[in-house]
Each structure stands twice: as C-alpha cells, then as structure tokens.
C-alpha cells in the first residue's frame, strides 16, 4: 500500500471484458513493482454465481516476470492469493483505523472472503464475538457453526442485518449491487470494511452512511473509476470528492490523518489493486524458492 501511494509500484487501470450477456467477466490486472524485481499480471474470471455452487467467485492466476530481463518466474494460484491479500488489506486498514478495544465483528456474507476476513479481524483486534448475516439465513447458520468450530470463538448467525451492523467492526463481503448496510444501524465509533462491490453502479452501503463516515480507499484512481459505494453519493451531491480523506498508503506514510475521535465512524473502501497481488505473489514465490532449496528463511 505504501508503494502504491508513493508511485513506486505502477498500477495501470484494470481491464474487464464481458463474457456473453451475463454478469460474468474476464479480467486482466497488470502492474510493476521494481523494488521486488518483478512485474506481472493477475488474470481472472469472475463468475458471481459460483459461491452458490461452492466455488470461488474469482478464479485465475498471477504471472510474475523478472523485472530486468523479462524471464517468466512463476504462475501462482489466483483465488487463494485474492482471498488472502484482500482480507490482509482490510486487516491493515482496521489496524490503523478501528478502536483499539473493538471486540465484536459483523460479517455480511458467507463466501471465501468472509472466512479470510474473520482471520484478518482477529489478527489485529481482540475479537471475541462474531455475528454473521446473509440473505440466505440457512447458509449463515451453517457458516457460523463451521467458523465457531474452526476458530473457537462465539460465532452466531443473525436473521436481522441490523444485529450484525451493531458491532464495532463490520466487513461487507457480498455480491450485492444495492445497499445491504444502512446508516441507522451503525453505531458511533465503528470501523467498516466495504469489500464486495467493485463497479460504479453497485454498492453495499447506503449514501447516508458514507456521508457520516471518514472514508479511506486503497487507490484514489481506482475509487473514482470503480467505487460505487463512494461515487454514487458524490454523484447525488450528498458529499463532494474531498469527502474521501485519502489512501491507506498515505495514512501509513503520515501524510493524512486517521481516526480523530472515539465516536467517529471510519470506512475503508476496498477494490483490490494489482500491487497487492504482486507483493503477495512475490512473498509466496520467495517462500517456495526457500523451501525448495531446503533453506530456513524468515520472510
């Protein structure tokens, strides 16, 4: 995130092509990361109906090339990297913005991202209670039972989304195109990671929630091109472009401010950027090289 905001990682706009007349997409996400000594691209398919069949909505691979001579270095499985790096970015934003004593977490959704976001939230805050909401309550019940067994935490399914929204931490990881999170449900002092929506005409939060929150993004250019959660309220005239405080990388660099008071609501609007994929892929690649050589290397 620091490299993305500093411009030391080059991130061209993502390219998506429709597959037929449905919501399925084919995506190409190129980028360069000189400090890693590599460049590459994530090549993915996006099939929103897949989670209903037990498959990831996003599948594909990350290709890495040597920065200096262009030699292909590795192909890495894309769905796992996407699941982990997306939640890790939310964890980073939560670490920097959420109240330090946040112990309850509301999860909207039951897919792969819901699992990795539980892990990310628990990695940065003392989470002891997790409330899960999904449009299919039966799936939420099954998901909560599985996660309670996996984590040993108090994980329960709720039928009313307002119950999930009454937590100190919120993560929306759904395929919704219309708001599933209402402003009047959210408590002062909450931190929210909006993750699921990634087009200008889709969103998970209503405009009123954006207006009453301090909003941070992964990359401003991406937000202007793809973040319906933020751009719809801007187009409505409810807030101006300056309502976006800035990028998480800028917050880490100390060029913008973070949470100002205990009662402030903070939002991280996640779209995912190629820099995250490249850095995550390089980490996996370097670990694979170390293990293959029999070295004991800490990364």
């Amino acid at each position: 995130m620091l490299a993305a905001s500093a411009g030391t990682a080059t991130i061209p706009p993502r390219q998506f092509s429709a597959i037929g007349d449905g919501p399925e997409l084919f995506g190409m996400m190129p980028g360069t990361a000189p400090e890693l000594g590599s460049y590459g691209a994530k090549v993915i398919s996006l099939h929103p109906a897949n989670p209903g069949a037990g498959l990831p909505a996003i599948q594909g691979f990350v290709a890495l090339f040597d920065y200096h001579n262009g030699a292909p270095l590795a192909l890495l499985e894309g769905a796992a990297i996407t699941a982990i790096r997306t939640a890790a970015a939310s964890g980073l934003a939560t670490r920097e913005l959420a109240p330090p004593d946040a112990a309850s977490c509301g999860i909207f959704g039951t897919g792969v991202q819901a699992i990795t976001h539980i892990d990310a939230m628990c990695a940065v805050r003392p989470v002891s209670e997790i409330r899960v909401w999904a449009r299919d309550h039966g799936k939420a019940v099954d998901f909560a039972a599985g996660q309670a067994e996996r984590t040993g935490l108090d994980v329960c399914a709720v039928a009313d989304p307002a119950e999930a929204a009454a937590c100190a931490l919120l993560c929306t990881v759904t395929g919704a195109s219309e708001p599933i999170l209402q402003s009047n449900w959210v408590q002062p002092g909450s931190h929210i990671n909006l993750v699921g929506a990634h087009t200008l005409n889709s969103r998970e939060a209503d405009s009123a929630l954006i207006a009453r929150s301090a909003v941070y993004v992964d990359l401003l250019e991406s937000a202007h091109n793809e973040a319906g959660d933020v751009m719809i309220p801007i187009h409505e005239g409810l807030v101006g472009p300056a309502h976006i405080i800035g990028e998480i990388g800028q917050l880490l660099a100390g060029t913008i401010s973070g949470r100002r008071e205990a009662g402030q609501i903070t939002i991280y609007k996640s779209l995912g950027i190629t820099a995250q994929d490249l850095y995550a892929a390089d980490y996996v690649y370097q670990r694979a090289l170390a293990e293959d050589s029999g070295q004991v290397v800490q990364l």
Side-chain angles (χ1 to χ4, degrees):
M1 302 306 290
L2 282 163
S5 292
T8 56
T10 303
I11 309 169
R14 300 191 281 198
Q15 304 167 34
F16 286 98
S17 300
I19 303 173
D21 298 325
E24 296 79 15
L25 296 171
F26 174 67
M28 174 75 75
M29 305 171 188
T32 63
E35 72 177 5
L36 297 178
S38 64
Y39 62 86
K42 183 164 75 172
V43 182
I44 65 163
S45 61
L46 174 59
H47 286 242
N50 273 6
L55 296 171
I58 295 175
Q59 301 176 88
F61 58 84
V62 180
L64 288 181
F65 296 80
D66 187 279
Y67 184 79
H68 302 288
N69 61 29
L73 298 175
L75 287 175
L76 301 104
E77 203 281 320
I81 286 177
T82 299
I84 295 169
R85 64 83 156 152
T86 304
S90 294
L92 174 64
T94 303
R95 189 191 76 187
E96 297 299 315
L97 294 169
D101 58 350
S104 60
C105 178
I107 299 286
F108 287 67
T110 58
V112 172
Q113 286 292 344
I115 297 173
T116 55
H117 271 76
I118 287 174
D119 292 343
M121 297 303 101
C122 291
V124 297
R125 287 297 183 269
V127 175
S128 58
E129 177 190 7
I130 298 170
R131 303 177 192 174
V132 180
W133 177 86
R135 283 165 289 191
D136 185 328
H137 184 60
K139 285 186 178 180
V141 171
D142 291 343
F143 178 86
Q147 294 308 301
E149 181 177 357
R150 183 181 73 89
T151 65
L153 298 174
D154 177 10
V155 186
C156 67
V158 295
D160 185 351
E163 289 188 52
C167 293
L169 305 176
L170 304 178
C171 299
T172 61
V173 287
T174 74
S177 58
E178 297 293 333
I180 44 86
L181 181 60
Q182 304 291 328
S183 175
N184 61 311
W185 301 339
V186 177
Q187 304 298 312
S190 300
H191 172 72
I192 305 165
N193 299 301
L194 300 176
V195 180
H198 50 82
T199 66
L200 285 175
N201 59 3
S202 62
R203 55 178 173 165
E204 295 177 300
D206 66 5
S207 294
L209 179 56
I210 298 297
R212 67 186 281 227
S213 304
V215 178
Y216 299 79
V217 299
D218 43 23
L219 199 67
L220 285 166
E221 181 180 8
S222 297
H224 292 150
N225 292 335
E226 301 175 16
D229 280 290
V230 182
M231 298 310 295
I232 290 174
I234 289 176
H235 291 152
E236 291 172 342
L238 190 61
V239 297
H243 190 68
I244 303 175
I245 292 176
E247 301 168 354
I248 291 297
Q250 294 173 313
L251 178 60
L252 293 169
T255 58
I256 60 174
S257 61
R259 174 177 290 271
R260 296 190 302 273
E261 57 188 39
Q264 185 179 43
I265 297 173
T266 54
I267 286 177
Y268 168 56
K269 175 54 196 166
S270 169
L271 289 165
I273 54 177
T274 306
Q276 296 168 352
D277 296 303
L278 293 179
Y279 277 72
D282 181 77
Y283 177 86
V284 175
Y285 174 57
Q286 297 299 333
R287 282 290 297 268
L289 290 180
E291 292 183 11
D292 186 58
S293 66
Q295 298 177 30
V296 179
V297 178
Q298 285 202 337
L299 298 172

